[in-house]
Amino acid sequence: MLKFDKIVQVSFLGGQLVYLVTLFLFLALLFSIWKDNRSVLNPILLISFLIMSYFSVGSFFYERGFGVAHDILFGLGFIILPLIVFFSGIFLIYNGIILLKKEGKSKANLLSLLAGFGVVGFFLLIYIRIQYYQFFINSKLLNVLIVSISWSFLIFGVAFLGFMLYSMLYLFMPKGKQYDFIIIHGAGLLGGERVSPLLEKRILKAIEAYNVLDDKNVKLIVSGGQGPDEKISEAKAMADYIKNNTPLSNEAVLLEDKSTTTYENLLFAKALGETLKPHPRFLFVTNDYHVFRTSMFAKKIKMAGDGLGCKTASYYIPSAFIREFIAGVVYLKWLFVALYVPLVLLLLYSYFG
C-alpha cells in the first residue's frame, strides 16, 4: 500500500511540474513577444508551449479520471498526428509537381517535391525497420543510422512546425500606425525590365499601407539592385511602375538600387532613411511567407519597425516556406548543431556505457 501511495505521489508531483513548465513557457512567450515580436526565440517558445500544453491537458484528464478523453488525446498525438505528417508528405509531392508545371524547373522549385519524398521515405524506412526487426537489431551501424535519421526528422520537423506557426501568427500581430518609410523589397523582373505579378502585389500592398497612414510625408523606398540577367535595377522598375500606374508623386519615392539580398535591402534602405531622418521607423513590405525571416534581419540590424505581407499564389507557398525555413536553419546553424549533442552522447553511451 505504501509503495502504491509513493507512485501516486510521484505521479501527482510530475503532473504539477508539467503544469508549471507549461505556465512558465506561456509567460515567457508573452514576455518575449511583448519585448520584440521579431525575436528568433519566439518560434522556439511557441512550439515548446504547444507541446507542453498537450501533455498538460493529458495529465489533467488522467488525474481527473477521464480515461476515455485521455486515451483519445494520446491517440490523436501518437496515431493521427503521424498520419497527418505522412499525408503532408504526399501533398508536398503533389504540390511539387504542380509547381514545376507552373513555374518551370529550378533548384528552388524542387524543394517541396524533395521534402515530400523525404517525409514519405522516412515512414517507409520506419516500416522496413519494424518488418525486419531482427536484421536491424544485429547491426549496430544500421541502428545508429536509423536513430540519427529519426532524430533529424524529429528536430527539423518540430522546428519547421514552430517556424511556420509563428510566421503565420506574426502576420496577424498589430502593426504600428506611425512610420517614416515604407520599404518595398525587390524581386526578379520580367524580360529584365518589367515588374512581375509577384512584385506588383508587393507594390500595391505598400501603396495600400501608405494610403491608410495619417502622415503623407512618408516616403516609399523601392529597394533592389540590378541582377546579371536584368536590363535595369529592380528599384528603377518599381519606381517606373509607381509613376505610370499610381497617383503618387516622384518625390514620394526613393530609390535604393545597390542591394542584391533581403539583408542588403534592409541594410541599405535603413542607411538611406537615416540620412533623411534621425531614428526613423520602417514598414517593410514583402510576401507573407517572407515576412518573419525579413523581420529577423531587421532586428539584427536594429531597424525599428514592422513587416507587412502580401498574398502569394497558394501553390507556391509550401515551397516558399521550406526555402524560408532552410534559410532560418542556416541563420541559426549553431543552435541546430547543439541539438545533436544529446544524440551523440546517447550513441556513445550505447556503445561504451
Side-chain angles (χ1 to χ4, degrees), residues 20-91:
L20 287 174
V21 171
T22 304
L23 178 62
F24 171 78
L25 289 170
F26 177 67
L27 294 176
L29 175 62
L30 290 181
F31 176 77
S32 185
I33 291 175
W34 171 77
K35 187 177 180 182
D36 193 336
N37 59 15
R38 305 171 299 177
S39 173
V40 296
L41 183 62
N42 295 342
I44 299 171
L45 289 172
L46 175 62
I47 194 64
S48 300
F49 165 67
L50 291 176
I51 291 171
M52 291 307 301
S53 296
Y54 172 78
F55 286 110
S56 290
V57 174
S59 179
F60 175 82
F61 285 157
Y62 180 78
E63 289 175 2
R64 297 298 186 277
F66 301 144
V68 175
H70 177 270
D71 293 343
I72 291 174
L73 181 68
F74 279 89
L76 289 173
F78 293 96
I79 298 175
I80 304 300
L81 183 59
L83 285 175
I84 292 173
V85 174
F86 174 77
F87 284 108
S88 294
I90 299 293
F91 168 76

XYZ file of all heavy atoms in Angstrom, residues 20-91:
587
model
N 3.496 23.628 -14.300
C 4.374 24.765 -14.026
C 5.245 25.108 -15.228
O 5.428 26.283 -15.563
C 5.255 24.462 -12.804
C 4.554 24.475 -11.444
C 5.493 24.015 -10.340
C 4.016 25.874 -11.128
N 5.774 24.079 -15.871
C 6.611 24.306 -17.059
C 5.779 24.939 -18.173
O 6.222 25.865 -18.860
C 7.256 22.991 -17.541
C 7.943 23.181 -18.901
C 8.269 22.492 -16.522
N 4.551 24.442 -18.350
C 3.654 25.000 -19.374
C 3.352 26.461 -19.097
O 3.406 27.305 -20.004
C 2.336 24.202 -19.432
O 2.623 22.820 -19.658
C 1.438 24.712 -20.546
N 3.050 26.775 -17.847
C 2.761 28.163 -17.462
C 3.988 29.049 -17.680
O 3.879 30.173 -18.192
C 2.328 28.220 -16.005
C 2.040 29.629 -15.440
C 0.888 30.280 -16.197
C 1.729 29.549 -13.941
N 5.151 28.536 -17.297
C 6.389 29.306 -17.484
C 6.628 29.616 -18.961
O 6.971 30.749 -19.323
C 7.579 28.524 -16.914
C 8.910 29.135 -17.254
C 9.378 30.238 -16.562
C 9.686 28.610 -18.290
C 10.602 30.817 -16.889
C 10.906 29.180 -18.622
C 11.362 30.289 -17.920
N 6.435 28.609 -19.819
C 6.646 28.810 -21.257
C 5.648 29.808 -21.829
O 5.999 30.629 -22.692
C 6.539 27.475 -21.999
C 7.694 26.494 -21.780
C 7.350 25.125 -22.370
C 8.988 27.023 -22.402
N 4.408 29.751 -21.355
C 3.381 30.687 -21.823
C 3.748 32.121 -21.447
O 3.684 33.035 -22.282
C 2.022 30.310 -21.229
C 0.918 31.263 -21.592
C 0.471 31.364 -22.902
C 0.323 32.056 -20.622
C -0.543 32.245 -23.249
C -0.695 32.936 -20.951
C -1.129 33.030 -22.259
N 4.151 32.320 -20.192
C 4.525 33.661 -19.734
C 5.790 34.146 -20.449
O 5.892 35.326 -20.810
C 4.737 33.659 -18.217
C 3.488 33.386 -17.370
C 3.846 33.311 -15.897
C 2.428 34.445 -17.622
N 6.735 33.217 -20.657
C 7.974 33.584 -21.359
C 7.673 33.987 -22.798
O 8.268 34.936 -23.327
C 8.957 32.412 -21.321
N 6.735 33.280 -23.444
C 6.344 33.604 -24.820
C 5.699 34.987 -24.885
O 6.045 35.804 -25.750
C 5.378 32.544 -25.349
C 4.771 32.798 -26.737
C 5.858 32.849 -27.799
C 3.739 31.717 -27.082
N 4.777 35.263 -23.970
C 4.119 36.571 -23.951
C 5.135 37.692 -23.728
O 5.092 38.732 -24.398
C 3.054 36.611 -22.853
C 1.804 35.759 -23.069
C 0.844 35.943 -21.898
C 1.112 36.122 -24.375
N 6.048 37.471 -22.788
C 7.050 38.493 -22.493
C 7.966 38.720 -23.684
O 8.291 39.869 -24.025
C 7.872 38.073 -21.271
C 8.989 39.028 -20.946
C 8.719 40.243 -20.319
C 10.300 38.723 -21.290
C 9.753 41.133 -20.032
C 11.334 39.610 -21.004
C 11.056 40.820 -20.375
N 8.368 37.627 -24.329
C 9.280 37.740 -25.466
C 8.619 38.462 -26.635
O 9.243 39.295 -27.302
C 9.750 36.340 -25.903
O 10.717 36.425 -26.928
N 7.342 38.162 -26.890
C 6.613 38.853 -27.965
C 6.430 40.326 -27.624
O 6.585 41.199 -28.481
C 5.247 38.178 -28.210
C 5.452 36.792 -28.820
C 4.371 39.022 -29.134
C 4.164 35.995 -28.983
N 6.114 40.609 -26.347
C 5.954 41.993 -25.915
C 7.262 42.768 -26.069
O 7.269 43.921 -26.517
C 5.490 42.029 -24.465
C 5.498 43.401 -23.869
C 4.586 44.399 -24.074
C 6.482 43.942 -22.982
N 4.950 45.518 -23.370
C 6.095 45.276 -22.686
C 7.647 43.424 -22.397
C 6.845 46.086 -21.837
C 8.385 44.237 -21.555
C 7.994 45.553 -21.292
N 8.367 42.109 -25.712
C 9.670 42.774 -25.793
C 10.091 42.995 -27.235
O 10.551 44.077 -27.605
C 10.722 41.938 -25.055
C 12.073 42.615 -24.939
C 13.041 41.767 -24.133
C 14.392 42.470 -24.018
N 15.374 41.643 -23.271
N 9.948 41.970 -28.083
C 10.277 42.102 -29.508
C 9.656 40.931 -30.255
O 10.119 39.785 -30.129
C 11.795 42.108 -29.734
C 12.160 42.555 -31.150
O 11.307 42.424 -32.048
O 13.282 43.028 -31.359
N 8.585 41.201 -31.003
C 7.885 40.109 -31.695
C 8.675 39.550 -32.878
O 8.231 38.612 -33.533
C 6.489 40.543 -32.143
C 6.519 41.743 -33.081
O 7.556 42.105 -33.638
N 5.359 42.369 -33.251
N 9.879 40.108 -33.132
C 10.721 39.621 -34.221
C 11.805 38.660 -33.743
O 12.608 38.177 -34.534
C 11.375 40.796 -34.937
C 10.408 41.838 -35.447
C 11.115 43.079 -35.946
N 11.890 43.731 -34.897
C 12.651 44.801 -35.095
N 12.745 45.339 -36.299
N 13.328 45.349 -34.091
N 11.831 38.367 -32.448
C 12.902 37.554 -31.875
C 12.854 36.113 -32.384
O 11.780 35.512 -32.500
C 12.793 37.553 -30.352
O 13.710 36.646 -29.781
N 14.036 35.542 -32.661
C 14.115 34.140 -33.103
C 13.739 33.191 -31.969
O 13.484 32.002 -32.200
C 15.528 33.800 -33.615
C 15.860 34.613 -34.850
C 16.589 34.018 -32.528
N 13.699 33.711 -30.747
C 13.307 32.892 -29.604
C 11.815 32.578 -29.615
O 11.379 31.546 -29.085
C 13.680 33.624 -28.304
C 13.429 32.905 -26.979
C 14.256 31.625 -26.907
C 13.777 33.825 -25.809
N 11.016 33.430 -30.244
C 9.562 33.282 -30.191
C 9.038 31.985 -30.805
O 8.171 31.336 -30.211
C 8.898 34.494 -30.847
C 9.173 35.778 -30.081
O 9.566 35.748 -28.914
N 8.994 36.909 -30.733
N 9.502 31.567 -32.010
C 9.030 30.282 -32.543
C 9.404 29.102 -31.647
O 8.634 28.143 -31.521
C 9.749 30.180 -33.898
C 10.115 31.566 -34.255
C 10.379 32.262 -32.965
N 10.587 29.182 -30.998
C 11.026 28.110 -30.095
C 10.109 28.033 -28.887
O 9.663 26.948 -28.486
C 12.486 28.354 -29.652
C 13.417 28.346 -30.856
C 12.928 27.287 -28.635
C 14.833 28.790 -30.549
N 9.804 29.195 -28.314
C 8.914 29.226 -27.154
C 7.501 28.787 -27.528
O 6.833 28.087 -26.753
C 8.878 30.638 -26.563
C 10.147 31.096 -25.836
C 10.044 32.579 -25.477
C 10.382 30.260 -24.584
N 7.049 29.175 -28.716
C 5.696 28.817 -29.143
C 5.538 27.311 -29.278
O 4.592 26.732 -28.732
C 5.369 29.499 -30.476
C 4.013 29.116 -31.104
C 2.862 29.518 -30.191
C 3.857 29.745 -32.476
N 6.447 26.662 -29.998
C 6.300 25.219 -30.205
C 6.522 24.456 -28.904
O 5.859 23.442 -28.641
C 7.251 24.715 -31.326
C 6.851 23.303 -31.774
C 8.703 24.740 -30.879
C 5.497 23.219 -32.419
N 7.416 24.953 -28.035
C 7.629 24.315 -26.729
C 6.377 24.420 -25.870
O 5.978 23.453 -25.205
C 8.810 24.975 -26.008
O 10.003 24.849 -26.753
N 5.737 25.594 -25.898
C 4.497 25.793 -25.138
C 3.390 24.874 -25.646
O 2.660 24.267 -24.850
C 4.061 27.251 -25.240
C 2.636 27.490 -24.811
C 2.257 27.329 -23.488
C 1.673 27.861 -25.748
C 0.936 27.534 -23.105
C 0.362 28.066 -25.364
C -0.014 27.901 -24.036
N 3.261 24.741 -26.965
C 2.210 23.887 -27.529
C 2.429 22.416 -27.159
O 1.470 21.695 -26.834
C 2.172 24.044 -29.047
C 1.681 25.405 -29.566
C 1.785 25.469 -31.082
C 0.246 25.678 -29.118
N 3.680 21.973 -27.198
C 3.986 20.580 -26.837
C 3.666 20.335 -25.363
O 3.026 19.329 -25.002
C 5.458 20.257 -27.132
C 5.697 20.230 -28.647
C 5.853 18.906 -26.523
C 7.149 20.140 -29.038
N 4.095 21.245 -24.498
C 3.835 21.078 -23.065
C 2.351 21.227 -22.755
O 1.846 20.584 -21.820
C 4.655 22.089 -22.265
C 6.160 21.816 -22.280
S 6.592 20.132 -21.768
C 5.895 20.083 -20.105
N 1.640 22.049 -23.522
C 0.188 22.175 -23.331
C -0.507 20.846 -23.610
O -1.450 20.458 -22.911
C -0.376 23.268 -24.246
O 0.136 24.525 -23.912
N -0.038 20.169 -24.627
C -0.589 18.853 -24.977
C -0.445 17.889 -23.793
O -1.402 17.204 -23.405
C 0.139 18.326 -26.210
C -0.178 16.897 -26.571
C -1.362 16.568 -27.218
C 0.717 15.875 -26.272
C -1.649 15.255 -27.551
C 0.445 14.560 -26.606
C -0.734 14.249 -27.242
O -1.012 12.950 -27.569
N 0.757 17.849 -23.205
C 0.982 16.948 -22.073
C 0.253 17.418 -20.825
O -0.176 16.596 -20.003
C 2.493 16.819 -21.802
C 3.208 15.980 -22.810
C 4.076 16.560 -23.712
C 3.001 14.608 -22.871
C 4.734 15.786 -24.670
C 3.659 13.829 -23.818
C 4.517 14.417 -24.728
N 0.069 18.730 -20.677
C -0.675 19.247 -19.526
C -2.143 18.828 -19.581
O -2.724 18.420 -18.567
C -0.585 20.777 -19.479
O 0.708 21.193 -19.148
N -2.727 18.925 -20.773
C -4.119 18.502 -20.939
C -4.245 17.000 -20.675
O -5.180 16.543 -20.004
C -4.635 18.849 -22.346
C -6.033 18.278 -22.572
C -4.658 20.361 -22.549
N -3.282 16.224 -21.191
C -3.283 14.779 -20.952
C -3.165 14.457 -19.474
O -3.865 13.572 -18.959
N -2.290 15.189 -18.776
C -2.119 14.981 -17.341
C -3.392 15.344 -16.575
O -3.790 14.641 -15.633
C -0.941 15.829 -16.842
O -0.755 15.682 -15.457
N -4.045 16.418 -17.001
C -5.293 16.847 -16.363
C -6.368 15.766 -16.503
O -7.052 15.418 -15.529
C -5.760 18.158 -16.981
C -7.096 18.630 -16.484
C -7.198 19.313 -15.277
C -8.259 18.372 -17.206
C -8.431 19.738 -14.808
C -9.483 18.794 -16.737
C -9.578 19.480 -15.535
N -6.531 15.229 -17.705
C -7.529 14.176 -17.927
C -7.224 12.944 -17.075
O -8.124 12.323 -16.499
C -7.553 13.785 -19.406
C -8.228 14.797 -20.299
C -7.933 14.860 -21.649
C -9.157 15.680 -19.783
C -8.560 15.782 -22.476
C -9.780 16.616 -20.595
C -9.482 16.670 -21.939
N -5.940 12.590 -16.998
C -5.534 11.400 -16.244
C -5.826 11.573 -14.749
O -6.359 10.669 -14.103
C -4.049 11.148 -16.463
C -3.514 9.940 -15.720
C -3.751 8.652 -16.198
C -2.784 10.096 -14.543
C -3.271 7.541 -15.514
C -2.304 9.000 -13.852
C -2.547 7.724 -14.338
O -2.071 6.636 -13.664
N -5.483 12.748 -14.205
C -5.676 12.997 -12.773
C -7.158 13.035 -12.402
O -7.533 12.654 -11.291
C -5.027 14.328 -12.384
C -3.498 14.300 -12.408
C -2.903 15.669 -12.137
O -3.682 16.625 -11.905
O -1.664 15.787 -12.158
N -7.990 13.514 -13.332
C -9.426 13.630 -13.039
C -10.179 12.338 -13.360
O -11.393 12.256 -13.169
C -10.048 14.790 -13.835
C -9.476 16.159 -13.484
C -9.730 16.516 -12.012
N -9.318 17.874 -11.694
C -8.074 18.245 -11.402
N -7.106 17.328 -11.406
N -7.797 19.487 -11.098
N -9.476 11.336 -13.818
C -10.101 10.049 -14.114
C -10.879 10.011 -15.412
O -11.725 9.128 -15.604
N -10.596 10.963 -16.322
C -11.259 10.970 -17.625
C -10.480 10.059 -18.580
O -9.777 10.523 -19.483
C -11.338 12.394 -18.186
C -12.072 13.359 -17.310
C -11.669 14.687 -17.207
C -13.180 12.944 -16.575
C -12.355 15.581 -16.392
C -13.882 13.830 -15.757
C -13.466 15.148 -15.657
N -10.615 8.761 -18.350
C -9.815 7.798 -19.106
C -10.052 7.826 -20.601
O -9.100 7.755 -21.391
N -11.310 7.938 -20.994
C -11.628 7.942 -22.435
C -11.030 9.168 -23.111
O -10.418 9.077 -24.180
C -13.160 7.899 -22.651
C -13.478 8.034 -24.139
C -13.742 6.612 -22.096
N -11.224 10.330 -22.476
C -10.672 11.570 -23.042
C -9.147 11.500 -23.118
O -8.529 11.945 -24.093
C -11.102 12.768 -22.202
N -8.536 10.920 -22.091
C -7.072 10.758 -22.055
C -6.600 9.883 -23.205
O -5.633 10.202 -23.907
C -6.665 10.155 -20.710
C -5.203 9.868 -20.577
N -4.655 8.658 -20.947
C -4.182 10.646 -20.142
C -3.361 8.694 -20.712
N -3.040 9.886 -20.231
N -7.298 8.760 -23.422
C -6.917 7.839 -24.499
C -7.109 8.473 -25.873
O -6.276 8.283 -26.774
C -7.744 6.552 -24.396
C -7.403 5.749 -23.143
O -6.331 6.012 -22.560
O -8.203 4.883 -22.764
N -8.193 9.226 -26.032
C -8.447 9.907 -27.312
C -7.347 10.930 -27.594
O -6.839 11.027 -28.707
C -9.829 10.590 -27.306
C -10.937 9.527 -27.303
C -9.984 11.515 -28.509
C -12.334 10.105 -27.156
N -6.986 11.690 -26.552
C -5.958 12.724 -26.710
C -4.637 12.118 -27.164
O -4.004 12.605 -28.111
C -5.770 13.473 -25.393
C -4.732 14.594 -25.427
C -5.215 15.739 -26.303
C -4.438 15.095 -24.013
N -4.216 11.030 -26.495
C -2.943 10.430 -26.862
C -3.041 9.636 -28.155
O -2.044 9.457 -28.854
C -2.405 9.584 -25.706
C -1.724 10.416 -24.665
C -2.434 10.957 -23.608
C -0.370 10.698 -24.774
C -1.815 11.757 -22.672
C 0.259 11.501 -23.838
C -0.457 12.035 -22.780
N -4.257 9.192 -28.478
C -4.453 8.580 -29.789
C -4.251 9.595 -30.902
O -3.642 9.303 -31.934
N -4.734 10.828 -30.660
C -4.540 11.906 -31.641
C -3.060 12.200 -31.822
O -2.582 12.423 -32.931
C -5.269 13.175 -31.176
C -6.795 13.154 -31.232
C -7.366 14.409 -30.575
C -7.274 13.071 -32.675
N -2.328 12.190 -30.691
C -0.916 12.540 -30.747
C -0.035 11.478 -31.368
O 0.899 11.795 -32.105
N -0.318 10.228 -31.085
C 0.582 9.158 -31.496
C 0.075 8.324 -32.674
O 0.805 7.464 -33.178
C 0.876 8.240 -30.302
C 1.668 8.932 -29.227
C 1.034 9.514 -28.132
C 3.041 9.025 -29.319
C 1.762 10.171 -27.156
C 3.788 9.683 -28.345
C 3.143 10.255 -27.256
N -1.152 8.574 -33.104
C -1.681 7.856 -34.275
C -2.101 8.837 -35.368
O -1.632 8.766 -36.507
C -2.882 6.964 -33.884
C -2.442 5.898 -32.865
C -3.465 6.286 -35.133
C -3.581 5.054 -32.340
N -2.982 9.774 -35.016
C -3.491 10.725 -36.011
C -2.391 11.656 -36.502
O -2.276 11.918 -37.711
C -4.661 11.547 -35.425
C -5.775 10.615 -34.920
C -5.205 12.509 -36.481
C -6.356 9.722 -35.991
N -1.570 12.173 -35.571
C -0.518 13.116 -35.967
C 0.470 12.509 -36.965
O 0.778 13.138 -37.986
C 0.213 13.642 -34.731
C 1.291 14.695 -34.993
C 0.681 15.912 -35.698
C 1.966 15.125 -33.689
N 0.977 11.277 -36.714
C 1.856 10.673 -37.729
C 1.175 10.499 -39.087
O 1.820 10.665 -40.132
C 2.220 9.315 -37.115
C 2.105 9.536 -35.651
C 0.943 10.470 -35.486
N -0.129 10.178 -39.065
C -0.862 10.052 -40.331
C -0.939 11.395 -41.056
O -0.796 11.461 -42.287
C -2.271 9.513 -40.071
C -2.380 8.016 -39.740
C -3.816 7.656 -39.379
C -1.908 7.168 -40.918
N -1.150 12.466 -40.286
C -1.190 13.801 -40.884
C 0.153 14.140 -41.517
O 0.216 14.677 -42.629
C -1.573 14.860 -39.824
C -3.027 14.662 -39.379
C -1.364 16.275 -40.360
C -3.443 15.551 -38.234
N 1.234 13.807 -40.801
C 2.575 14.077 -41.326
C 2.814 13.277 -42.608
O 3.348 13.806 -43.596
C 3.654 13.738 -40.276
C 5.053 13.888 -40.872
C 3.508 14.639 -39.055
N 2.404 12.004 -42.609
C 2.593 11.159 -43.788
C 1.845 11.729 -44.994
O 2.415 11.859 -46.091
C 2.111 9.738 -43.498
C 2.145 8.829 -44.709
C 3.340 8.294 -45.154
C 0.982 8.526 -45.405
C 3.384 7.475 -46.267
C 1.020 7.706 -46.514
C 2.223 7.174 -46.942
N 0.578 12.093 -44.794
C -0.204 12.621 -45.914
C 0.249 14.028 -46.311
O 0.046 14.442 -47.455
C -1.696 12.583 -45.581
C -2.296 11.210 -45.683
C -2.653 10.505 -44.541
C -2.455 10.595 -46.922
C -3.185 9.223 -44.629
C -2.984 9.309 -47.031
C -3.342 8.617 -45.880
N 0.883 14.728 -45.375
C 1.507 16.005 -45.734
C 2.636 15.774 -46.723
O 2.850 16.579 -47.643
C 2.047 16.703 -44.480
O 0.998 17.073 -43.619
N 3.362 14.659 -46.532
C 4.413 14.298 -47.478
C 3.846 14.019 -48.863
O 4.410 14.450 -49.882
N 2.721 13.303 -48.903
C 2.052 13.038 -50.185
C 1.630 14.352 -50.843
O 1.813 14.554 -52.055
C 0.804 12.146 -49.974
C 1.195 10.793 -49.362
C 0.061 11.947 -51.297
C 2.011 9.905 -50.247
N 1.073 15.256 -50.026
C 0.648 16.555 -50.549
C 1.827 17.340 -51.114
O 1.715 17.988 -52.160
C -0.041 17.369 -49.454
C -0.257 18.812 -49.833
C -1.269 19.165 -50.717
C 0.569 19.810 -49.336
C -1.455 20.488 -51.087
C 0.386 21.133 -49.700
C -0.624 21.474 -50.578
